[in-house]
Amino acid sequence: MYVLGIETSCDETGVAIYHSEQGLCSHILYSQIAMHSEYGGVVPELASRDHIRKLVPLIKQCLQESQLPGSDINGIAYTAGPGLMGALLVGAATARSLAWAWQVPAIAVHHMEGHLLAPMLEENPPEFPFVALLISGGHTLLVQVEGIGRYQLLGESLDDAAGEAFDKTAKMLGLGYPGGPKLSALAEQGIAQIKFPRPMTDRPGLDFSFSGLKTFTMNTINASGKTDQDKADVAAAFQQAVAETLSIKCKRALQQTGLKRLVIAGGVSANKQIRASLTQMVAKENAQLYFPRLEFCTDNGAMIAYAGCQRLMAGQQQGLEIYARPRWPISELD
């Protein structure tokens, strides 16, 4: 079964073709970072317009690289949410139109389920069940995964997501867009000698909170001076605090569930210090850690094609409606 996957939830246009037996056939990703950097963040209307310009040419290119005509596609998967409404509608309308034209089923995919299943695209994917930490610009979730579509939410951020905290802290430090990667690069030049809090780790539970770290960062910047080294030290201390907070919560989730497999996915999972901190933690817990490759940490069409393929093979599909949900809790996923 050949499935075309389309991802347009924010500022990346992702297209991929996945085969149920052969695996990933091709995938292409176009990023809008250069366009949005001028404004210091994603401008929703500009994102939607750029998806309109890029999506169909990328689909044609993906088919060409796979050496497939459109008539060979057996199903189409598209990101239906959560995300920017205008951007989601571009992908949903295109996918639904192609499905109607090619007379194949279409399936609406939850963006975070795509991230959660991204490690399944690797040569040695994790076996079910496992605990998954999904960390991105808009979400920080701990989920117990019993199988595809069988998810139990263990904890989530009560305010800012980890990626959002990275971006906002980067802005305080005067760094450009995208803030997260630039903050991580700056942190490599600093020393984490300032003791930042590890929020909500002194109480039971698996929820997160990162808004307090932003306030602490702002106060530290105002009090510690404005030199380049001061900024690098703040970045290092902030990043270490986030990494250790995530590790503490993941350790608690493994102990609570009794599971020995931890999956980390989402854009922030590419952060080197977070990976290192979690690697050390699972080694002490005698557990296994799984990451998607770096190109599948960010938004991409491959994860949507894979997730959609699994659901289409299970008999799921959408009707003729164009389905998009900018707010879509993973707990409401069928």
Side-chain angles (χ1 to χ4, degrees):
M1 181 182 210
Y2 286 106
V3 176
L4 173 68
I6 295 174
E7 157 61 28
T8 62
S9 64
C10 190
D11 61 339
E12 273 121 0
T13 312
V15 179
I17 294 175
Y18 181 86
H19 189 268
S20 55
E21 296 180 2
Q22 300 171 14
L24 189 62
C25 302
S26 63
H27 71 97
I28 303 171
L29 183 66
Y30 174 79
S31 175
Q32 301 175 1
I33 285 178
M35 178 179 64
H36 295 294
S37 60
E38 179 181 351
Y39 304 95
V42 177
V43 181
E45 180 62 24
L46 295 181
S48 303
R49 293 178 184 181
D50 213 39
H51 286 312
I52 293 172
R53 285 191 290 265
K54 297 295 191 302
L55 185 52
V56 171
L58 289 179
I59 292 172
K60 291 179 178 179
Q61 182 182 344
C62 204
L63 288 168
Q64 185 177 12
E65 291 184 1
S66 301
Q67 298 182 337
L68 293 171
S71 57
D72 279 1
I73 298 298
N74 306 115
I76 301 179
Y78 63 93
T79 301
L84 302 175
M85 187 59 175
L88 290 170
L89 283 172
V90 174
T94 303
R96 183 60 264 175
S97 299
L98 285 175
W100 182 84
W102 291 340
Q103 293 297 292
V104 297
I107 185 71
V109 175
H110 193 289
H111 180 72
M112 298 312 293
E113 180 177 42
H115 276 303
L116 189 152
L117 298 177
M120 297 298 183
L121 293 165
E122 304 303 319
E123 291 185 2
N124 297 304
E127 296 180 2
F128 298 114
F130 55 77
V131 171
L133 172 66
L134 305 181
I135 39 178
S136 67
H139 301 84
T140 301
L141 306 172
L142 270 170
V143 183
Q144 182 172 339
V145 181
E146 297 293 334
I148 295 175
R150 297 163 59 197
Y151 313 127
Q152 178 185 351
L153 182 63
L154 301 174
E156 60 186 332
S157 179
L158 302 180
D159 38 61
D160 291 349
E164 184 180 3
F166 265 93
D167 289 339
K168 290 181 178 178
T169 299
K171 191 171 183 179
M172 294 179 203
L173 292 169
L175 305 178
Y177 173 84
K182 293 190 175 184
L183 186 147
S184 298
L186 180 62
E188 293 180 2
Q189 305 170 27
I191 303 173
Q193 55 189 349
I194 308 168
K195 183 63 177 177
F196 272 56
R198 276 55 174 165
M200 295 187 70
T201 58
D202 59 347
R203 66 187 75 175
L206 297 173
D207 288 328
F208 301 90
S209 172
F210 294 105
S211 63
L213 275 179
K214 293 187 308 178
T215 303
F216 190 91
T217 300
M218 182 181 297
N219 293 336
T220 302
I221 293 172
N222 292 335
S224 65
K226 306 293 184 180
T227 68
D228 291 342
Q229 189 59 51
D230 288 336
K231 293 180 179 180
D233 291 346
V234 169
F238 170 84
Q239 181 174 254
Q240 184 183 69
V242 174
E244 291 185 4
T245 298
L246 294 172
S247 293
I248 291 169
K249 294 290 185 172
C250 286
K251 177 181 178 180
R252 193 175 293 176
L254 290 173
Q255 293 175 343
Q256 178 176 308
T257 60
L259 299 176
K260 290 295 184 179
R261 285 182 288 271
L262 177 64
V263 165
I264 312 298
V268 184
S269 68
N271 181 280
K272 293 179 182 178
Q273 183 158 0
I274 290 175
R275 288 190 173 217
S277 180
L278 290 168
T279 298
Q280 293 175 3
M281 183 275 291
V282 296
K284 292 178 181 179
E285 292 297 305
N286 195 28
Q288 296 173 297
L289 183 62
Y290 298 87
F291 293 103
R293 70 191 81 166
L294 290 178
E295 61 186 317
F296 292 154
C297 288
T298 57
D299 297 348
N300 62 88
M303 66 183 190
I304 302 303
Y306 177 84
C309 183
Q310 307 311 308
R311 288 185 171 272
L312 286 169
M313 289 194 300
Q316 273 193 296
Q317 59 179 282
Q318 304 299 129
L320 292 176
E321 75 276 10
I322 296 174
Y323 188 80
R325 288 185 64 180
R327 295 184 181 275
W328 188 3
I330 197 169
S331 57
E332 295 181 11
L333 186 63
D334 292 337

